[in-house]
Amino acid sequence: LILPRRDLIKKCCDELIKRSQAVSGRNNTVSEYWRGPKGSGKTTFLHLMGREMQDRGCQVFYLNNAAAFNETDDTFVRSLSENRSEYEDTVVVMIDEVPGGVNMGFWVTLLKECKGVIVIGVGVPALDSSSPVHFESKNNPHELYIAYHFQSELNELVDELHQHFPENTREQLAPFCESVNSYGGGHMYPTLKLCEHLLQIPNWPVHYQKALASSDLVNTEAYIEIMRRCYDASLPSMNTFVRFLRHNPSADDIVNYEKLGLWDQTYKQFVSPLYLNHLFNASALLAPETQTEFLPANASPEEKIEFIIKQGLVGMEENDFLEPYKGGWSYEEPIANMFAFRVHQR
């Protein structure tokens, strides 16, 4: 499944070419860097941008990893300015995996010394180092999420799924796509993978909502692949997770997870229910070892309820019962969140 993202690609190319024409003839390079978490469609976006730029008559050059840059490439970059007359059309240099070459010196040459060149870079932001400082602009990671700018991308998703699963009607697929995309937060790979998985459930129009909410989802191949592909390297520490849950993250927490595209500071929530669900499921791995009690197999319903309550309450302190967030939530919801967190943890 590949979304053409026509409106987004047109918008980005229009803006870059307009800016390039505005600085034409000066010692300027127009550059844009799109950051995003794994699986957010960065490489596909880069290729779509390259095809569009070629269709507009640009000379497009592509490097699939900034870390692979070498002396030959450096010589070529310098030639873009020195032999500018060879390229009658606008020159576009596209670089994937930008953080891989974050400390290399060619960035100054490429982003500061080349005349009339458009540079487009993408990459997963590295928390332990800054991205190349010379890019003119660095976009919010959420800008690559499905339907962040254009609702038309949901229609494109419907068209793609209808092509691959023609036995379903567009009327069925439209609310389905909106629901799954919302659950995945617009994150490209999780959304596409979940769509593919759920459409193969027998009588899916009746059951997909229940399947999304089911605890069995974590055992499916689709879920496991999403976690491996997108999230396994982005688990916060237990203390960091608790701070987010209590709506009291530190400044570093916010900067890091906004940079990764996994925290939305505008709405003060994780990017998706899917990612939050993953954090809850992983919390046992994050937690320090604790003494574990086991529920007898023949326990009565009353004993099961009592067991759950005990496991949820043990270890909770007085502060856990105070309302941690004054933004309009009910008193019970933050307590329920912490209670659920303790249950999941144990």
Side-chain angles (χ1 to χ4, degrees):
L1 301 174
I2 297 179
L3 301 188
R5 313 198 78 171
R6 296 181 184 89
D7 289 333
L8 178 64
I9 298 302
K10 181 179 185 303
K11 169 182 177 289
C12 294
C13 288
D14 285 347
E15 290 176 354
L16 285 167
I17 290 177
K18 183 177 180 180
R19 281 162 51 193
S20 179
Q21 291 171 341
V23 300
S24 179
R26 305 180 202 168
N27 191 21
N28 285 81
T29 301
V30 171
S31 60
E32 196 95 9
Y33 176 41
W34 276 269
R35 302 171 292 176
K38 292 181 178 180
S40 54
K42 298 179 297 300
T43 299
T44 302
F45 170 78
L46 200 60
H47 283 286
L48 291 171
M49 289 284 286
R51 290 180 185 179
E52 177 70 14
M53 288 296 198
Q54 280 188 323
D55 289 344
R56 296 185 183 206
C58 299
Q59 293 277 350
V60 180
F61 301 94
Y62 174 78
L63 185 67
N64 65 4
N65 193 322
F69 207 88
N70 56 43
E71 291 182 7
T72 304
D73 298 317
D74 188 60
T75 301
F76 169 71
V77 167
R78 292 183 184 280
S79 77
L80 291 177
S81 286
E82 295 165 0
N83 303 315
R84 187 69 185 86
S85 59
E86 291 184 13
Y87 305 107
E88 296 179 359
D89 302 312
T90 301
V91 173
V92 181
V93 178
M94 317 194 77
I95 304 178
D96 205 349
E97 304 292 350
V98 164
V102 67
N103 296 318
M104 293 185 175
F106 74 86
W107 293 113
V108 175
T109 305
L110 181 60
L111 300 178
K112 287 293 186 182
E113 299 174 5
C114 288
K115 293 181 180 180
V117 175
I118 296 174
V119 181
I120 303 172
V122 301
V124 179
L127 297 183
D128 56 351
S129 65
S130 60
S131 302
V133 296
H134 301 298
F135 274 95
E136 276 189 310
S137 56
K138 300 173 185 177
N139 290 297
N140 185 322
H142 300 117
E143 295 196 27
L144 285 180
Y145 287 167
I146 299 173
Y148 182 85
H149 283 292
F150 297 101
Q151 286 293 113
S152 59
E153 292 184 343
L154 286 175
N155 294 329
E156 291 178 338
L157 179 56
V158 170
D159 292 339
E160 279 288 304
L161 292 175
H162 186 56
Q163 180 179 339
H164 287 274
F165 300 91
E167 65 276 13
N168 302 297
T169 66
R170 297 187 91 266
E171 289 71 25
Q172 289 175 316
L173 291 170
F176 167 78
C177 288
E178 188 166 352
S179 179
V180 177
N181 189 60
S182 177
Y183 183 71
H187 198 157
M188 181 71 71
Y189 184 83
T191 296
L192 298 185
K193 196 72 177 175
L194 285 172
C195 283
E196 186 180 40
H197 167 72
L198 294 168
L199 286 177
Q200 296 178 65
I201 297 175
N203 196 20
W204 70 263
V206 177
H207 298 298
Y208 80 88
Q209 291 280 15
K210 183 178 179 181
L212 279 178
S214 170
S215 58
D216 292 335
L217 181 67
V218 301
N219 298 316
T220 63
E221 289 184 12
Y223 185 93
I224 293 169
E225 182 62 21
I226 289 168
M227 297 309 120
R228 184 197 65 77
R229 174 75 174 79
C230 303
Y231 296 142
D232 276 356
S234 58
L235 288 173
S237 69
M238 177 62 78
N239 288 337
T240 300
F241 185 30
V242 170
R243 287 196 294 270
F244 274 121
L245 285 180
R246 290 178 169 175
H247 289 268
N248 188 32
S250 69
D252 285 343
D253 294 336
I254 294 170
V255 168
N256 286 341
Y257 281 85
E258 267 197 306
K259 189 175 179 180
L260 289 170
L262 298 173
W263 176 258
D264 189 332
Q265 184 58 13
T266 302
Y267 297 101
K268 293 188 170 50
Q269 63 186 22
F270 285 106
V271 68
S272 69
L274 173 65
Y275 183 60
L276 180 59
N277 185 50
H278 173 54
L279 294 180
F280 271 125
N281 287 320
S283 63
L285 301 176
L286 296 168
E289 290 188 13
T290 56
Q291 184 176 353
T292 304
E293 294 183 37
F294 294 94
L295 183 66
N298 60 350
S300 67
E302 291 78 11
E303 288 172 327
K304 291 178 181 178
I305 292 170
E306 183 179 352
F307 177 84
I308 290 172
I309 292 173
K310 283 183 177 179
Q311 291 302 297
L313 295 179
V314 67
M316 290 182 72
E317 300 173 354
E318 184 177 355
N319 285 340
D320 293 331
F321 293 90
L322 301 177
E323 187 173 5
Y325 179 59
K326 302 295 184 182
W329 280 10
S330 68
Y331 185 77
E332 292 82 3
E333 189 167 348
I335 294 177
N337 282 344
M338 286 306 301
F339 174 78
F341 173 67
R342 296 290 182 183
V343 173
H344 274 287
Q345 179 183 326
R346 293 172 178 273

